[in-house]
Amino acid sequence: MTTTPDPNAALRSLPSMDALLTSAGGGGLIDRYGRSAAAQAMRDCLAEVRERLRQGETPPTSVEALLVEIARDLERRFQPSLRPVINAAGIILHTNLGRAPLSAAAQGAMVTVAAAYNTLEYDLAAGSRGSRLIHPESVLREVTGAEAALVVNNNAAALVLILSALAKGREVIISRGQLVEIGGGFRVPDVMIQSGARLVEVGTTNRTRPADYAAAITPETALLMRAHASNFRQIGFVESASLEDLAVLARSRDILLVDDLGSGALIDTARYGLEHEPTVQESLSAGCDLVAFSGDKLLGGPQAGIIVGRRALIEKLKKHPLARAIRADKLCLAALVATLDHYRRDEAPAQVPVWRMIARPLADLQAAAESWSAALREHAADRQIDLSVEVIDGESAVGGGSLPGATLPTTLLALRLRDPSLAAAALRAGDPPVIARIKEDRLLFDPRTVLPGQDAALLAALRAVLR
Ligand SMILES: *Cc1c(COP(=O)(O)O)cnc(C)c1O
């Protein structure tokens, strides 16, 4: 026989706020989250349960059961929205996933500088004010061969600074083939105009020759600009002027040549079976006056905009009022110097995560995918789950505005599922969230971008979804 629950009796027996606050479990939540946040969660929980009782539902109402709900709710409320994820999508530089993960040394450098007062702008020898810009400058000069260097917030800011300081109110010549949109609405022509420079477009979308630039130079011209086509490629009837040719032209007409290199590789990607991505050193030796690139793309460091080149120009940029507005912070500088030190020590391919991923041998990736597959098969067999799991050949992408379209051969774990997008959503809702790739009726997991130490968490997430 079933009895209809009496909502009024249940409402009367619902624990009070006081009972929750003074319970041992409630005290634990107060210690952990603070009194006001814990009390708010308790109030909200009681209000919700009260409402459900009025609707005739029969939710559990013991203090213990309510505290379980409240603890879960508080955990959710305090979970930062910016948090780590497992990138199993196989895109090494994924801008939405924070681009480059940092090396252990770079992480350590940030923590060390964050925890104490430091020499950010203090000259220990003189006992007086120093400059934050000296910290990355000598190592940047050493690894790139440049005369001088300056670090700002990001590469977009670096370009605005260069153009504002050197071309405001004057003309900047750029090829029509390089008026690109980088992503996130960042368009090279917009940035140029923002800086007060007058944009002079030359050539056509697919072909621009040195003579096109030469014909456009006037007494108003401040500089020639080259922007790396970082996220697309042109094939077919294509021609562009080399940096060497542009440097000769710029010098002969007494104007500057600036290269927006984008990705900022310091190592030759061709060593790892990729196409050759232009390096910072090459742009400098081609004769560019200034080269700008990001810190968190192929360099593999923190978000930063790095400008290297001729000393007199760098000095001018440092003195521009905008430089103060876009200066890099101490955490960035600490991580950047630690990252650059890996290059100085010739250990970047082993120590910088982005390069470790690029350099990871195929046999290694295959072994990882096979071991994931074995673990999942075992799990499925234990629980008599019908599971289609395969290890297949695939491709990883470098991403992040470098080597457009270029891929690295990899080995993927492929799960055939009735509803792969539902499973992908469940993986994203986990902790840590897992980002996978969906292809037709399969979910694909690329070991290349799964960091050392994340395998166990990835497998736990997969097991949970495959229940
Ligand atoms: C990525 C990129 C930028 C923007 O750099 P951020 O560091 O993201 O500001 C500018 N130019 C090129 C060619 C790029 O590839």
Side-chain angles (χ1 to χ4, degrees), residues 38-244:
Q40 187 60 50
M42 290 171 185
R43 255 191 303 276
D44 293 348
C45 176
L46 286 175
E48 193 198 317
V49 171
R50 228 175 265 126
E51 184 53 33
R52 290 179 62 190
L53 289 169
R54 283 199 200 96
Q55 306 280 335
E57 290 180 44
T58 54
T61 56
S62 68
V63 169
E64 293 69 33
L66 294 178
L67 284 174
V68 168
E69 281 309 310
I70 292 161
R72 214 174 274 151
D73 184 35
L74 279 165
E75 198 180 320
R76 254 195 316 269
R77 292 184 191 199
F78 274 83
Q79 178 155 74
S81 58
L82 176 58
R83 60 195 180 113
V85 303
I86 295 177
N87 172 11
I91 301 165
I92 295 173
L93 291 166
H94 197 308
T95 296
N96 301 150
L97 301 184
R99 290 197 186 153
L102 297 178
S103 73
Q107 296 169 41
M110 289 178 97
V111 170
T112 305
V113 159
Y117 294 107
N118 52 68
T119 54
L120 180 64
E121 292 187 354
Y122 193 74
D123 181 337
L124 286 173
S128 62
R129 184 169 187 204
S131 164
R132 71 176 61 216
L133 297 173
I134 62 151
H135 305 297
E137 184 158 12
S138 61
V139 60
L140 274 169
R141 286 171 47 201
E142 193 173 327
V143 299
T144 65
E147 270 177 35
L150 168 62
V151 176
V152 296
N153 237 315
N154 53 39
N155 191 26
L159 296 172
V160 173
L161 176 61
I162 290 171
L163 293 169
S164 302
L166 305 177
K168 196 182 183 94
R170 301 184 60 200
E171 291 170 0
V172 172
I173 302 176
I174 186 166
S175 159
R176 290 194 169 91
Q178 295 169 8
L179 294 172
V180 300
E181 175 168 326
I182 306 301
F186 175 87
R187 291 178 164 177
V188 168
D190 293 347
V191 172
M192 294 175 70
I193 289 162
Q194 188 64 40
S195 320
R198 286 203 304 279
L199 191 65
V200 177
E201 303 171 18
V202 296
T204 61
T205 304
N206 57 331
R207 286 173 81 94
T208 306
R209 300 179 192 85
D212 295 320
Y213 292 87
I217 296 173
T218 74
E220 288 295 293
T221 307
L223 56 90
L224 307 181
M225 170 110 176
R226 201 280 295 251
H228 182 40
S230 44
N231 50 9
F232 72 105
R233 68 159 92 208
Q234 291 189 323
I235 52 167
F237 192 54
V238 171
E239 180 180 351
S240 59
S242 72
L243 280 177
E244 285 80 1

Side-chain angles (χ1 to χ4, degrees), residues 93 140 142-145 228 261 263-283 293-295 297-301 339-360 398 402-403:
L93 291 166
L140 274 169
E142 193 173 327
V143 299
T144 65
H228 182 40
L261 190 55
S263 194
L266 295 173
I267 297 178
D268 186 358
T269 48
R271 276 202 226 165
Y272 302 100
L274 284 163
E275 270 170 60
H276 175 71
E277 168 79 7
T279 64
V280 177
Q281 299 91 319
E282 284 161 7
S283 290
F293 53 99
S294 298
K297 292 183 178 172
L298 277 177
L299 189 77
T339 305
L340 291 165
D341 274 345
H342 293 307
Y343 291 90
R344 181 149 60 148
R345 292 197 189 99
D346 267 336
E347 62 180 20
Q351 295 297 331
V352 176
V354 164
W355 284 96
R356 215 168 42 210
M357 290 184 241
I358 290 175
R360 197 156 160 202
V398 176
S402 49
L403 300 160

